[in-house]
Structures are given as structure tokens and as C-alpha cells.
Amino acid sequence: MHTVPRAQLTCLLHFQASHEHLIHGKQEGGEGGWSIQGEGEQNRVAIYYILEGVLQQDTGGLEIRLVKNIVSLASDQMRETQEATTEVKVAASNTLVTLASCYFDHVMYELHCHLKPPKLPEEFILVTLANLSSAYARKCIPFVRVTLNTMFSMLEFVKDGRLRQAFCGEEYQDQIFEHLSWLLEQYNENTDVFHVTKSLSQLLEVSGEYKIPLPDGKFQAICSALHNQICSQAKPLSMENHTELVHCVVQLARSSPDDLIAFLHSQLEIENEAVRVASLNLLRAIVGADLPETRPKKCLIVKAVKSTFSDQNATVRKAVLHFIQRLLSLQSVENCAAWDMVAHVFTEFSVSTSKLAIPEENTIQTLCTDILQCLDTSVTGMTQVLWPRLLEYVVPVQYTGTLKTLCRCLRELAEKKQQEGEEAACLDYGGPVKLPTPQGLLARLLVVASSPYAGEGHGCAALQLLQALHQNIHVAVGEMWGVKIPSLLQYIEGKVLVRRSAVHGA
């Protein structure tokens, strides 16, 4: 550790003693001793220059008590409104900036103590913050968000022209964003990458929240660096680092959603499992964040995901299904080509049906079933997406495993349409949707209902759908089915309860 020369150490000790005198309201001098408050302005400035010279040689060997005293005294004099001249304030500010080389957190903590809305800070608090950002931009990164949050919250209260200039002319964020390249390069070093990701995350949060544009050419570099980290198989990602990397990508979506979606779409065109899965998972995270900036872009996102539909890799297929699951769980599915996603779930269910001996295909079919079971017809836009297209999947035998969910959704949709009026509930058999005929629907649902105890409640669901679709089956059956089907359901459900009781009792 560097040793401070005796004469300079004496200077520091006298500086400390002067500070203690100030704290106790004393004015003490004498041979070989200083009292800064009692000296002329030039002497005070000179002492700061001497002190600054000493601190430039220090490598962290000062006692923390002495550091805190220097910080406190310099801060006090920097903020004096009457006695201290501008020259003294500049010297005190420069001393704090020099001290921050080894004791950055102590200096930053002191400055933040004087950023307390709605009280406005003194001008040299802002000047010192700006100088710190210039001298130690990388060290400022963890503090950038809280600093800008506080400053922006106070800006509306600033009336003094000089102070407002200190606020508006402050280049705190500009200095820090200049070091993005250095930060990205740290991913190539043998360092703790989580702290790199955390710092990057803090910068991107500020960029997104305050609409601060990233430096020219940096957006693509950040996208590539983050994506490479997630895809890299050289060393496993920790859970906390993976979470933070995904958070960074979501923050990029706030800054430039079109560019980010285009980048991820380009990655999906690469025929590599890890790259495609990572890109699909990131698109799922962006959709799930439901940001105001990305809501109008859901069609672009869905278009990107659809480009992978032909991929036969089981891991990629599961990633696509997880994306669809997240998309369909949003509060709105309007204007996002959601039907293409729903139809793909049925396609995957059908494909996996003939391959259930393969564990991964079994997992895929279970995931398809889970997605369909979670379809919520009350979600905004869901009725327009599903009605009447879901009827396409009632008759084909390969979708029998989805019938319970199909019947439940269709019954809810039919009842919604009936509330809109008889005309809205009527099916258009001559329209663009290829619907089953009334005879086909009736035959299929009656066959399913004839084995009410088979499957997982398919029979009861089929009967309930028949009742809901009565006017589309035949105009003459509505009144009769309205009486007969509820009593039949009651009988079946009673029998089921008896059977369950017998099983549990045994």
C-alpha cells in the first residue's frame, strides 16, 4: 500500500483537526496549526490544492474517519451560500472528485444526501456530479438511475436560471453511455459477467425510461452481445445472470422495438437449435412484458415466430408452444394474428398423437393440451379469434383428445353470440371458414355423448355444446333439448359422483 509522505500526512491531519474545530464551533490556530474557517479565502483555496495533490498520490490507505471528515468539510464549504467564494467551492468540488478515485462510494453517498426532492440542491452538487461522471463514468453506472430519477423529479421546481443551467447542461448520462463499448468488451474477459450484465441493465433502464437514445451503432452491438451470452454453451449461465440478460433485452424493446424484433427475426432464420430457442424465449419475454412500446408490434413478433413453424426439432417446437401459451394468456389478443397460433397448437397435437411412444412427443402433446385448456374466452378479442373457427376441430378424430376443452370454449362462445342476438349466433356455412355440416356436428357429438363415462368428461361437454348450438343444428330441437339435456346431464353427473365415491370408499 502506498505510504503518504510525513509532511503531507501532517497537512491531512491539520485538515482533519480544522474540521473537528468547525464541528465544535471553535476557531483555533497557532504555530503549525490551521483553522480553515479562520483563514483568508486564498489560504483556504491553497489548502485544498495541497490536499488535492496529496490525494492524487493516495491508493486507498487513508483512515475512513479522515476520509469522511474531508468529504463532509468539502461538501459543507461547497454548499455555503454566503461565506465561501466561487473559487473555494470549485476547489472543494475538485477535492471531492480527486478523493473519489479511491473512495468513490463515500463521495457519491454525500452528494446523494443533498439530492432530496422537493428541496433543490446547491449548484456545486450538480457540478461535482457532472465532474464525477466525466472522471469515473464506469463507477457511476450503478448510480445513474437513482441520480437521474431524483434530478428529473426536481427539474420542474427549478426557477433560478443559473441552477436550471446546471441541471439542463449536466452531461451525466452522456459521459456514462460513452463507455458502453468497454462494458460489452468485458463479456470477452474472464470476469464475473453477472456484474457486467447488471451494469448494462441499469443503463438500458435509464435509456428506456427517459427516452435517451443509445450512442450511434451501439444498438446492434448490444443485441449481439446479449444474444451471444444467452446462446453460448462455453460456460453455463447462472440463473441470476440469465434473468438479468432477458431483462436487458426487454429494456431494449422499450428503446427500439422494431429494430429488436428485426434482429431476433434474423436470428430465427439461422438453422441452429440454441439460437432459435434463445430467440423464441426472448420474444416470449417481450410479449409477456406487455410494454406500451411493443403492444402495437405483436403482429411483427408473431410473423417472426411463424417462420419457425416448419422446424421439426422438438426443442424448438416446445419453445414455439411456450411462446404461444404466453401470447394467449395476455389481456388482449386483438390485432396479432392469434388464430394462426391457435391453429398451430392443434397441428402440433395432431402430429404428436402418432408418436406418443417418444417421450418428447408426449411432452409436446401435454403442452398443447395445457394451452387449449387455458384458453379464456373472456379475453379481449378472443371471441373474434375463436368463433366459429374452433368448430373445424370438433369432427376430425385426431383431435378427440382436445374435445372437452373444445366443447367448453365453443359453448361459451355460442352463449356469448346468443346474447348478441339470434343473427350473430347463426353460423355462415357459405363463409370463408370451412365448417362441419349440422349433420356432421350432430353425429359427432351424439357419438361422444353416447359414452358419457369415457375419457375425461367428453360426454357431458358434448351434450352441453349440443344444447348451445341447437339453433344451428335444427330450429325444431331447441325447446326439447332445453328440457331433456339438463336432466340427462344431471343423471350422468350423479352417476359419476356415485362411481367416484365407490372408488374412494374401496
Side-chain angles (χ1 to χ4, degrees):
M1 184 176 291
H2 181 82
T3 302
V4 181
R6 176 179 293 274
Q8 294 175 338
L9 178 59
T10 301
C11 168
L12 290 174
L13 293 175
H14 284 321
F15 191 95
Q16 179 187 24
S18 298
H19 186 201
E20 291 171 347
H21 293 166
L22 279 173
I23 292 174
H24 294 94
K26 296 180 180 178
Q27 295 273 337
E28 294 184 11
E31 191 173 347
W34 295 333
S35 176
I36 292 182
Q37 193 71 10
E39 298 289 338
E41 293 299 305
Q42 291 305 315
N43 286 341
R44 297 169 74 185
V45 172
I47 292 171
Y48 274 120
Y49 284 154
I50 295 171
L51 179 60
E52 191 177 347
V54 173
L55 293 174
Q56 287 171 353
Q57 302 176 51
D58 178 50
T59 58
L62 299 182
E63 295 180 5
I64 295 303
R65 179 169 175 266
L66 177 56
V67 171
K68 290 181 177 178
N69 285 346
I70 296 172
V71 169
S72 180
L73 181 58
S75 173
D76 288 345
Q77 295 194 339
M78 192 173 69
R79 294 179 293 107
E80 282 183 9
T81 56
Q82 296 180 346
E83 297 187 18
T85 63
T86 298
E87 192 175 3
V88 170
K89 292 180 179 181
V90 169
S93 175
N94 290 342
T95 298
L96 286 178
V97 172
T98 302
L99 186 66
S101 175
C102 295
Y103 311 97
F104 184 86
D105 287 355
H106 290 85
V107 175
M108 185 61 84
Y109 175 79
E110 174 67 22
L111 296 175
H112 273 265
C113 284
H114 304 290
L115 289 175
K116 300 290 185 184
K119 183 181 177 182
L120 296 177
E122 290 75 8
E123 177 186 358
F124 272 85
I125 293 293
L126 302 177
V127 170
T128 308
L129 277 172
N131 291 336
L132 280 179
S133 72
S134 178
Y136 315 108
R138 297 168 190 172
K139 291 183 179 180
C140 285
I141 289 172
F143 301 91
V144 64
R145 186 176 187 184
V146 65
T147 302
L148 291 178
N149 272 343
T150 306
M151 291 178 64
F152 278 121
S153 67
M154 291 190 291
L155 189 56
E156 61 180 294
F157 302 109
V158 180
K159 305 300 180 187
D160 178 75
R162 183 165 176 161
L163 184 59
R164 191 169 186 86
Q165 184 179 4
F167 264 97
C168 299
E170 213 248 322
E171 298 179 351
Y172 186 80
Q173 68 269 24
D174 296 333
Q175 297 285 351
I176 294 168
F177 278 104
E178 285 179 3
H179 289 268
L180 271 171
S181 294
W182 172 85
L183 198 58
L184 296 178
E185 288 170 5
Q186 301 312 296
Y187 280 127
N188 300 321
E189 305 295 330
N190 190 18
T191 58
D192 183 355
V193 292
F194 171 67
H195 288 94
V196 178
T197 307
K198 189 67 179 176
S199 296
L200 185 58
S201 173
Q202 291 165 335
L203 289 181
L204 295 177
E205 284 177 358
V206 170
S207 173
E209 186 169 349
Y210 296 107
K211 305 302 179 188
I212 300 171
L214 295 172
D216 290 342
K218 289 294 183 288
F219 188 90
Q220 188 78 12
I222 296 171
C223 288
S224 297
L226 294 173
H227 199 271
N228 289 340
Q229 281 293 302
I230 293 173
C231 296
S232 175
Q233 299 174 346
K235 49 186 176 181
L237 283 176
S238 67
M239 183 60 71
E240 63 177 357
N241 193 30
H242 183 271
T243 301
E244 205 63 41
L245 285 165
V246 173
H247 179 66
C248 285
V249 173
V250 172
Q251 294 309 309
L252 285 174
R254 301 177 68 184
S255 302
S256 186
D258 289 311
D259 292 337
L260 179 60
I261 295 167
F263 170 79
L264 292 174
H265 195 165
S266 71
Q267 298 302 300
L268 289 174
E269 293 173 353
I270 299 172
E271 293 186 8
N272 177 280
E273 177 189 301
V275 172
R276 283 188 171 176
V277 169
S279 302
L280 287 165
N281 289 340
L282 290 173
L283 287 170
R284 177 177 51 144
I286 293 167
V287 163
D290 199 26
L291 301 171
E293 296 87 350
T294 58
R295 283 175 204 146
K297 311 296 180 182
K298 283 189 287 188
C299 263
L300 286 176
I301 295 173
V302 166
K303 181 181 179 182
V305 172
K306 285 173 64 178
S307 69
T308 65
F309 278 6
S310 61
D311 195 322
Q312 298 303 304
N313 180 284
T315 307
V316 173
R317 289 163 62 199
K318 283 186 282 188
V320 170
L321 289 170
H322 281 298
F323 169 85
I324 295 172
Q325 188 173 42
R326 192 68 189 91
L327 177 72
L328 297 179
S329 69
L330 298 177
Q331 293 301 308
S332 172
V333 292
E334 291 181 312
N335 304 317
C336 66
W339 174 250
D340 293 338
M341 302 288 105
V342 175
H344 185 68
V345 176
F346 282 101
T347 299
E348 287 287 24
F349 184 92
S350 176
V351 168
S352 62
T353 299
S354 60
K355 305 176 183 179
L356 293 181
I358 304 172
E360 284 188 321
E361 295 296 335
N362 212 317
T363 301
I364 287 173
Q365 184 162 102
T366 300
L367 182 52
C368 290
T369 303
D370 290 342
I371 294 171
L372 295 174
Q373 286 176 345
C374 292
L375 284 177
D376 185 354
T377 57
S378 67
V379 165
T380 303
M382 191 65 85
T383 299
Q384 290 76 12
V385 169
L386 301 180
W387 180 265
R389 293 174 171 137
L390 275 187
L391 285 165
E392 295 178 40
Y393 300 99
V394 173
V395 175
V397 69
Q398 65 265 35
Y399 305 115
T400 300
T402 69
L403 265 180
K404 184 178 179 180
T405 296
L406 264 176
C407 291
R408 187 263 303 169
C409 287
L410 284 165
R411 174 178 54 80
E412 292 173 356
L413 294 168
E415 290 171 353
K416 284 175 177 285
K417 288 295 180 179
Q418 287 164 10
Q419 292 173 3
E420 295 176 18
E422 186 175 332
E423 185 176 347
C426 285
L427 295 172
D428 180 10
Y429 290 99
V433 180
K434 188 179 179 181
L435 298 174
T437 64
Q439 297 88 340
L441 268 178
L442 177 61
R444 174 65 163 155
L445 295 175
L446 284 177
V447 168
V448 174
S450 67
S451 302
Y453 309 117
E456 300 179 357
H458 293 170
C460 289
L463 284 171
Q464 289 171 328
L465 180 57
L466 271 175
Q467 184 178 357
L469 292 176
H470 65 85
Q471 74 182 65
N472 287 294
I473 301 295
H474 197 284
V475 292
V477 299
E479 187 175 343
M480 179 181 65
W481 283 5
V483 175
K484 297 293 184 180
I485 289 180
S487 61
L488 186 56
L489 286 170
Q490 189 176 10
Y491 173 79
I492 294 171
E493 288 167 355
K495 286 285 187 180
V496 170
L497 289 175
V498 169
R499 287 189 175 200
R500 286 178 182 166
S501 299
V503 170
H504 291 302

